[in-house]
Amino acid sequence: MQTFVNPNCRKVKGSHILMVVCAVCKHFIAHYQKVGESNFVKMYNDRIIDGCVDFAQYHGAVFCPGCKTRIATRYTTQDNKEAYRLVPSAFHKRKVNCKRR
């Protein structure tokens, strides 16, 4: 499995790292810097650390490389930030302790 490092990633103070995996086949999708304790409904592109998808390129949606299930759809927020809106039943998340790159 090839892992792509996101060149747009910035360190965010006070964040914790989540590992996102596919709910169907348990395939690794991405490491994400989550800020706060609110629900996990979207991933901002500049907070994605690395993943199995090359986030430097434009993708209309993120699909699991293992089972081809749609995990998220790309959109632009009201303040013009690029983000991925997650499909609620398509992924699992887990808090991990890993070093930021």
Side-chain angles (χ1 to χ4, degrees):
M1 171 180 71
Q2 185 176 7
T3 303
F4 296 97
V5 177
N6 186 6
N8 303 322
C9 180
R10 299 181 290 119
K11 287 185 180 179
V12 179
K13 186 175 182 179
S15 65
H16 55 274
I17 308 297
L18 296 178
M19 182 172 70
V20 181
V21 297
C22 177
V24 177
C25 67
K26 309 294 188 262
H27 195 277
F28 170 74
I29 303 298
H31 283 120
Y32 180 74
Q33 298 179 74
K34 175 77 169 96
V35 177
E37 297 299 323
S38 60
N39 292 339
F40 186 51
V41 294
K42 60 186 164 188
M43 292 192 306
Y44 291 105
N45 194 27
D46 59 353
R47 293 188 192 168
I48 299 170
I49 300 169
D50 60 1
C52 64
V53 179
D54 188 5
F55 292 102
Q57 299 176 0
Y58 178 79
H59 299 283
V62 175
F63 291 93
C64 174
C67 64
K68 307 298 184 213
T69 303
R70 184 170 56 96
I71 305 294
T73 305
R74 189 172 190 153
Y75 77 107
T76 304
T77 62
Q78 291 179 349
D79 52 346
N80 291 328
K81 285 183 159 182
E82 293 294 324
Y84 291 96
R85 183 175 293 127
L86 296 163
V87 177
S89 60
F91 70 95
H92 292 300
K93 65 181 177 5
R94 182 178 68 182
K95 195 173 189 178
V96 294
N97 295 326
C98 68
K99 296 191 185 235
R100 294 185 182 117
R101 296 178 183 166

